[in-house]
Amino acid sequence: MTQTNTPATLTSPATPGTAAAQVTIGQPILSKNAQKAEENRADFQSRGLFVINLLSSPGSGKTMLLQRTLAELSGRWRMGVIVGDLQTDNDARRLRASAGDAPIDQITTGTVCHLDAQMVARSVARLDLSEVRLLFIENVGNLVCPANYDLGENIRVTLLSVTEGEDKPLKYPVIFKRADVVLINKIDMAQAAGFDRQLALENLRRINPDARVLEVSARTGQGMDQWYELLESYVKRN
């Protein structure tokens, strides 16, 4: 997936009696990242890798989705994961416990709320990606900053948990608009959460009518076969 480098605008909270301030992420920052992303993309292609940038808010189930995917598909192809978090390597350790021989690398970003192309390039250099066909990048849990940074991926997959509410696509339109695939996760909890499925789908279509939408539960396995079929189609065409 190739992105345009439209400057991103962030709004800081206003103090009493003042207007909110807007700060634009300048073109040079995004242009530099875009250049490195294209280098990553060429590197991935030369290695025969299909790369998926996995995005969501914290707690939506990215790590559990990857745990189940690695455990159930390890016999089909070799996969790898780059994990981004502000602090701790908890997710990487969880994945290593169920990943078999899949190479896993942790990127700890500190105060940075997203991964960028240079971070990913350094992580790739640390990994043994021989015979790996699918590389997942589990981005930092955030629905704002990661949307603006191309990492050199083939596609973007954005998760929406039923516990987050049906209006998330409307509140955070950029990250959903730039998604190739949207996974509605935790559907086993939809009734308990009072999730309005039809409204969520309408909101997604309003923001991104072209995204492929899958409904899954990474915890129970419900709907995961369609996710696996999609992954297999990516591997075959790569």
Side-chain angles (χ1 to χ4, degrees):
M1 178 177 181
T2 304
Q3 288 184 282
T4 57
N5 291 313
T6 304
T9 300
L10 306 179
T11 303
S12 62
T15 55
T18 66
Q22 287 192 336
V23 179
T24 299
I25 299 175
Q27 195 74 20
I29 295 174
L30 293 178
S31 294
K32 183 178 180 181
N33 183 79
Q35 180 180 354
K36 188 61 185 177
E38 287 304 319
E39 293 174 8
N40 287 352
R41 191 169 284 110
D43 180 44
F44 297 151
Q45 184 175 4
S46 71
R47 296 170 183 261
L49 287 171
F50 192 92
V51 181
I52 297 175
N53 187 3
L54 197 60
L55 308 108
S56 77
S57 61
S60 65
K62 294 191 301 297
T63 304
M64 183 168 287
L65 177 83
L66 289 175
Q67 279 184 289
R68 194 173 197 106
T69 300
L70 291 171
E72 297 191 348
L73 297 186
S74 60
R76 298 193 195 181
W77 339 279
R78 193 164 187 242
M79 295 168 284
V81 185
I82 295 171
V83 183
D85 274 309
L86 294 175
Q87 296 292 339
T88 82
D89 64 346
N90 292 347
D91 288 350
R93 287 191 285 108
R94 283 175 60 190
L95 290 172
R96 290 187 185 108
S98 59
D101 68 344
I104 312 287
D105 188 61
Q106 174 76 50
I107 300 175
T108 303
T109 64
T111 59
V112 179
C113 59
H114 61 271
L115 296 179
D116 63 30
Q118 183 61 57
M119 293 178 191
V120 169
R122 288 195 294 264
S123 179
V124 166
R126 293 190 292 265
L127 289 170
D128 174 13
L129 295 175
S130 58
E131 299 182 6
V132 170
R133 302 292 304 280
L134 270 176
L135 177 64
F136 297 97
I137 302 173
E138 183 182 346
N139 217 312
V140 177
N142 189 313
L143 288 177
V144 182
C145 303
N148 296 301
Y149 286 82
D150 184 4
L151 306 180
E153 69 268 18
N154 292 94
I155 66 163
R156 289 186 167 195
V157 176
T158 300
L159 267 69
L160 170 65
S161 166
V162 302
T163 57
E164 296 177 75
E166 303 85 357
D167 61 349
K168 272 295 188 293
L170 305 182
K171 289 183 174 180
Y172 302 92
V174 176
I175 204 160
F176 287 95
K177 185 175 183 178
R178 293 180 176 173
D180 300 285
V181 179
V182 175
L183 295 183
I184 301 178
N185 191 27
K186 304 186 182 181
I187 58 172
D188 56 306
M189 300 174 62
Q191 184 174 357
F195 182 69
D196 187 331
R197 174 182 178 272
Q198 190 59 42
L199 180 58
L201 292 173
E202 289 174 5
N203 290 339
L204 283 169
R205 292 304 179 206
R206 177 177 169 185
I207 297 300
N208 186 349
D210 298 323
R212 181 161 183 173
V213 180
L214 304 180
E215 299 172 71
V216 304
S217 169
R219 186 178 70 88
T220 68
Q222 186 178 351
M224 289 293 285
D225 283 346
Q226 59 183 333
W227 167 241
Y228 299 154
E229 289 171 5
L230 184 61
L231 295 180
E232 185 166 14
S233 73
Y234 291 147
V235 171
K236 286 182 176 179
R237 80 183 192 195
N238 192 39

